[in-house]
Amino acid sequence: DVVQSRSTRPRCGQGQAAMPKSAGNRQLAPGVMEKSRRTRKFVEGGVFKLAAGKSPSIKASPKPAAAASRFYPADDVKVPLKRNFRPTSAKLRASITPGTVLIVLSGRFRGRRVVFLKQLESGLLLVTGPFKVNGVPLRRLNQAYVIATTTKVDISGVDIPAEASEDSFYTVSKAEKKARKVAWAKREESDFFDEAGKAKVDSVEISAAKKDAQAKLDSQLLALPEFKDKVMRSYMASRFTLTKGQMPHAMTF
């Protein structure tokens, strides 16, 4: 190893990076710099000071977005799904027009032929037998469970009662449903059979408003020339059935 002499050794500060100098700043102590002239002028001038009685408006800094966790949550977290669906009434089939005779495919009156009156706000079809012809009262049906026939009745002059055109006219209140359920649970043996041992048939009381609406509508329908024809009345009173060899998809209703 070669030992350097005092004359060849670098002097203090020669081998080190010099600290950058800025105009107007001087070093008060190692690592502590004096304020620049621009800063002193700004502080002494009081440009930043507010007028008396005013408070500075501080804008809230936006919250940083939470970092996504690298792990799945221990419990199932329900996340609401975005639904762009807006419920509206169903579009009526082109083959179903006021006065069209429909064949019911489901429910208590399946196989019966009914007359279509109008479409309600809920999208359901308002139909009737008439009641005096085949026993089908004013009823709401889903168009998915009917077959539209080519037989039509002119009901342009028929006035449908206003109360019968509301969906609430056919619904049962929660209180009434609860009362029926309680009465059903409290039934005894005498409620099932009479004194002769025959089974009793449960009967539901029909409101006077429904009876009046049905009577008004039946009187108008039976006055139409189509229902004065015996063939038409027997056609509406008969039940639709299929026998061996009959294919529904090959039929013209």
Side-chain angles (χ1 to χ4, degrees):
D1 296 338
V2 180
V3 181
Q4 295 180 350
S5 62
R6 289 185 178 180
S7 59
T8 57
R9 290 179 184 175
R11 295 182 181 180
C12 181
Q14 287 185 356
Q16 299 176 359
M19 183 176 291
K21 295 182 180 179
S22 59
N25 287 15
R26 58 192 182 88
Q27 189 174 6
L28 301 177
V32 180
M33 304 298 294
E34 185 186 18
K35 290 182 180 180
S36 64
R37 293 179 182 176
R38 185 178 179 183
T39 305
R40 288 201 307 271
K41 191 174 182 181
F42 179 79
V43 174
E44 293 172 359
V47 180
F48 66 94
K49 294 181 181 180
L50 298 173
K54 291 186 178 181
S55 59
S57 58
I58 303 174
K59 295 182 179 180
S61 58
K63 295 182 180 179
S69 177
R70 298 188 297 116
F71 307 99
Y72 290 104
D75 300 327
D76 293 336
V77 180
K78 293 184 179 180
V79 180
L81 300 177
K82 294 182 179 179
R83 291 188 62 198
N84 296 327
F85 172 73
R86 295 181 180 179
T88 56
S89 59
K91 184 180 179 181
L92 191 63
R93 296 208 308 255
S95 58
I96 302 177
T97 56
T100 303
V101 176
L102 308 176
I103 300 174
V104 185
L105 301 178
S106 178
R108 177 184 173 189
F109 300 102
R110 58 184 176 274
R112 291 293 183 184
R113 296 177 173 91
V114 295
V115 179
F116 169 65
L117 301 176
K118 64 180 297 185
Q119 186 181 25
L120 303 178
E121 291 184 2
S122 61
L124 299 177
L125 311 181
L126 180 62
V127 300
T128 187
F131 182 76
K132 289 186 177 181
V133 176
N134 54 20
V136 181
L138 277 167
R139 197 172 182 85
R140 297 179 300 170
L141 295 177
N142 192 324
Q143 62 179 335
Y145 301 107
V146 298
I147 296 176
T149 66
T150 55
T151 306
K152 292 189 177 182
V153 179
D154 185 12
I155 62 170
S156 57
V158 176
D159 183 21
I160 302 174
E163 62 273 11
S165 301
E166 300 292 336
D167 286 291
S168 58
F169 187 71
Y170 307 94
T171 57
V172 181
S173 62
K174 292 184 179 180
E176 189 176 351
K177 284 184 179 180
K178 187 175 181 180
R180 290 181 184 179
K181 190 175 182 180
V182 172
W184 182 274
K186 292 183 178 180
R187 293 195 306 173
E188 298 179 357
E189 185 178 355
S190 59
D191 297 325
F192 292 93
F193 303 97
D194 56 9
E195 296 178 357
K198 294 183 179 180
K200 292 183 179 180
V201 179
D202 293 334
S203 59
V204 180
E205 295 183 2
I206 307 299
S207 63
K210 290 185 178 180
K211 290 181 180 180
D212 293 342
Q214 187 68 59
K216 291 178 182 178
L217 202 55
D218 280 2
S219 61
Q220 297 180 68
L221 291 175
L222 295 177
L224 297 176
E226 289 86 353
F227 285 100
K228 291 182 179 180
D229 186 7
K230 292 183 179 180
V231 177
M232 182 64 176
R233 288 179 71 100
S234 62
Y235 169 74
M236 295 297 295
S238 63
R239 190 185 293 270
F240 172 77
T241 56
L242 290 174
T243 58
K244 185 177 180 180
Q246 292 181 339
M247 296 173 288
H249 64 276
M251 292 182 178
T252 301
F253 295 95

